[in-house]
Amino acid sequence: MANYAEIEKEAKCYLDVCVEHDKIDPELFDKFGVKRGLRDKDGKGVLTGITNISRIDAFQMVNGKKTPCEGKLWYRGYNVYDLIRGLHGKRFGFEEAAYLLLMGELPNAGQLAEFSNVLTKCRDLPSNFTRDVIMKAPTKDLMNSLTRSVLTLASYDDTIGDNSLQTQLEQCIKLISVFPMLAVYGYHAYNYYVNGDSMYIHRPQPELSTAENLLQMLRPDRSYTDLEAHVLDIALLLHMEHGGGNNSTFTTRVVTSSGSDTYSVMAAALCSLKGPKHGGANIKVVEMVNHIRNTVHDETDEEEVKDYLCKILDKQAFDHKGLIYGMGHAVYSLSDPRAVVFKSFVQQLAEAKGRKKDFDFYNMIERLAPQVIAEKRHIYKGVSTNVDFYSGFVYNMLDIPLELYTPIFAIARIVGWSAHRMEELVNVDKIIRPAYESIMVPRAYIPLENR
């Protein structure tokens, strides 16, 4: 049996050596003009490509000067506000937006029905896949479970070596269709084998939308309200795509450019999204809000809440990272359009669920946090909530377990990944290869016996 104490001790020694040699003077980053996060000296993302899939607007030119503006998000030239308004609260938007991002045009009624039918037909896993793959080695880390399932599906695809665009698109659509099943079944396996709870595997129903199927597969009694399904549908639509510069989409582009297969590309994107700095932000928001409510004496006292937010920023409270989660964005300044449009749906759901008190508390933090950040960080251009601030609250109201928050992000974002993969395949036949400046100093080799 392994002596883990000794292994831990040895690892600590190796870590000390690694840190000693890998630590780089921060001033060297400035010397060589390196901006982490691929940002130039003005803080703008370094240009690595062009895309016709989506666009983010956070600034506008006023009298020749770049000025912050209310954020806008565009899918294939259409403002997401208009896409959601066009649903009139009656239709589900995931399938329509997926068609738009993949095909480049809004579908007519016949095309939408045909595309939805294709998604329905693809909502099927290989025989015994759920038992032999998903239920084997169940884990709380559902992103790992999802990634493993995606890579294993490649073994069942006889077209894996076919590099035609038609086949690549078909593979993307198949994965878009089964992602909800892989995620929800992964949770049920974990809940049964690890938590000792009951397990039930509900098959997707052909007449239901993606959002409806996700809820009915997750819940023991398969029931849900129309409002619940529509709010989840809006959440999926808003998380579907966000420009080519985000970490997981850039990962999709990079791995696609190497010539790798669809399954490997999506697995790589999942690994990127899994990081708490990317896909896990809404979990941190929920944890932070719960922590504040459980710590302050009176959650309706704005001064007390504001003082505690100051402590969080000063690294004296919560996780001591000095961050108010759900506030600010790498691109947006005045507002995140996803948060703005989502908030009205969040309020509707909160009122229907008898959670208005909870919504009011989130609303208070949304109002107070920018003031605190401006005062403490001396940021006056504007700090606004991002979509993660409310999405975790919504998932909580929908009784979605915390372990599924990031997988749901993936269920939506795989559509954007697929669109970017296809655009990369169609337009570029060259591997993405960034450069690093080496600061290494040559050294003379020392024989082992002399070290």
Side-chain angles (χ1 to χ4, degrees):
M1 186 174 179
N3 188 330
Y4 290 105
E6 289 187 10
I7 293 174
E8 184 178 0
K9 182 179 179 181
E10 287 294 318
K12 179 64 169 63
C13 293
Y14 292 139
L15 176 61
D16 290 341
V17 173
C18 288
V19 170
E20 179 184 350
H21 286 283
D22 288 345
K23 191 68 175 177
I24 297 174
D25 186 342
E27 291 185 2
L28 289 175
F29 285 88
D30 293 331
K31 176 182 177 181
F32 290 104
V34 175
K35 298 294 182 182
R36 288 298 293 166
L38 286 180
R39 298 194 172 277
D40 61 20
K41 59 183 176 64
D42 296 321
K44 184 179 180 181
V46 174
L47 191 63
T48 59
I50 56 177
T51 182
N52 195 34
I53 295 169
S54 65
R55 193 180 82 199
I56 299 168
D57 289 344
F59 297 88
Q60 62 185 0
M61 298 303 294
V62 179
N63 298 323
K65 184 178 180 181
K66 187 178 177 182
T67 307
C69 66
E70 300 296 337
K72 295 184 180 68
L73 175 62
W74 309 80
Y75 288 178
R76 295 287 190 179
Y78 295 97
N79 192 314
V80 289
Y81 286 163
D82 295 330
L83 295 178
I84 292 173
R85 287 194 195 100
L87 301 174
H88 301 299
K90 299 178 181 179
R91 293 187 296 110
F92 290 96
F94 178 88
E95 291 74 15
E96 184 172 332
Y99 184 99
L100 171 64
L101 289 173
L102 289 172
M103 309 303 176
E105 298 290 345
L106 282 171
N108 59 34
Q111 291 169 329
L112 179 58
E114 184 178 358
F115 181 69
S116 298
N117 188 47
V118 169
L119 292 177
T120 296
K121 289 181 178 179
C122 290
R123 286 191 190 113
D124 188 30
L125 295 171
S127 297
N128 300 322
F129 188 91
T130 302
R131 182 195 68 188
D132 296 342
V133 179
I134 299 177
M135 291 186 182
K136 289 287 176 71
T139 173
K140 181 179 182 179
D141 192 331
L142 296 186
M143 289 298 285
N144 277 357
S145 173
L146 187 53
T147 303
R148 183 179 69 239
S149 294
V150 169
L151 286 172
T152 307
L153 279 173
S155 303
Y156 293 82
D157 192 340
D158 295 332
T159 68
I160 192 69
D162 185 348
N163 294 323
S164 68
L165 293 176
Q166 176 69 28
T167 298
Q168 304 306 306
L169 180 59
E170 289 173 1
Q171 291 170 344
C172 287
I173 291 174
K174 287 177 184 177
L175 287 176
I176 291 170
S177 301
V178 300
F179 255 42
M181 301 169 69
L182 299 178
V184 172
Y185 292 173
Y187 171 75
H188 287 319
Y190 154 73
N191 199 35
Y192 175 75
Y193 288 107
V194 180
N195 292 343
D197 209 339
S198 299
M199 181 166 67
Y200 35 88
I201 300 296
H202 298 154
R203 294 184 181 276
Q205 300 301 303
E207 72 277 8
L208 299 182
S209 68
T210 298
E212 290 174 304
N213 264 315
L214 206 161
L215 290 175
Q216 72 89 14
M217 287 191 296
L218 179 62
R219 295 178 172 177
D221 61 0
R222 308 177 77 155
S223 67
Y224 56 88
T225 67
D226 192 54
L227 177 60
E228 287 178 320
H230 275 96
V231 172
L232 179 57
D233 178 69
I234 296 299
L236 293 174
L237 190 156
L238 290 173
H239 282 90
M240 194 175 284
E241 164 61 7
H242 204 238
N246 67 80
N247 196 283
S248 58
T249 301
F250 185 59
T251 298
T252 301
R253 290 273 195 171
V254 170
V255 182
T256 294
S257 76
S258 74
S260 195
D261 65 272
T262 302
Y263 299 91
S264 296
V265 168
M266 297 309 168
L270 284 167
C271 292
S272 166
L273 186 68
K274 176 187 173 182
K277 294 180 182 178
H278 190 5
N282 54 14
I283 296 176
K284 296 295 290 187
V285 173
V286 172
E287 292 174 347
M288 179 191 72
V289 171
N290 290 338
H291 172 81
I292 296 172
R293 297 185 77 173
N294 293 331
T295 305
V296 298
H297 296 94
D298 182 3
E299 65 181 59
T300 64
D301 186 337
E302 292 198 7
E303 283 304 314
E304 186 182 9
V305 172
K306 186 174 181 180
D307 288 343
Y308 202 78
L309 289 173
C310 288
K311 290 181 180 179
I312 291 177
L313 271 185
D314 289 337
K315 300 183 181 181
Q316 297 175 3
F318 187 44
D319 62 359
H320 305 286
K321 296 289 182 65
L323 297 172
I324 298 179
Y325 293 94
M327 290 291 148
H329 192 272
V331 180
Y332 299 118
S333 55
L334 297 187
S335 64
D336 179 341
R338 300 169 301 171
V340 173
V341 72
F342 199 33
K343 186 175 179 179
S344 62
F345 294 96
V346 178
Q347 184 171 3
Q348 290 178 46
L349 185 62
E351 291 173 352
K353 290 279 188 178
R355 302 279 298 271
K356 188 176 184 303
K357 184 178 178 181
D358 297 332
F359 176 78
D360 290 342
F361 189 69
Y362 271 83
N363 201 29
M364 181 197 298
I365 294 176
E366 180 185 18
R367 186 162 31 83
L368 296 177
Q371 300 174 22
V372 172
I373 294 171
E375 294 168 6
K376 288 282 184 178
R377 297 286 191 264
H378 305 294
I379 299 174
Y380 303 108
K381 68 172 185 177
V383 176
S384 60
T385 53
N386 56 54
V387 70
D388 294 316
F389 185 76
Y390 281 111
S391 62
F393 177 41
V394 164
Y395 298 157
N396 178 263
M397 288 192 289
L398 293 175
D399 297 318
I400 293 171
L402 204 66
E403 294 86 355
L404 274 171
Y405 284 16
T406 308
I408 287 176
F409 193 159
I411 289 169
R413 188 54 65 85
I414 187 180
V415 178
W417 295 338
S418 296
H420 281 275
R421 171 165 171 75
M422 295 307 300
E423 189 177 60
E424 186 74 21
L425 289 171
V426 169
N427 293 293
V428 186
D429 189 22
K430 194 170 185 178
I431 190 170
I432 296 173
R433 189 184 184 284
Y436 268 69
E437 186 74 38
S438 177
I439 59 170
M440 180 194 71
V441 177
R443 295 185 288 176
Y445 177 77
I446 303 172
L448 180 60
E449 61 271 17
N450 295 335
R451 294 176 206 162

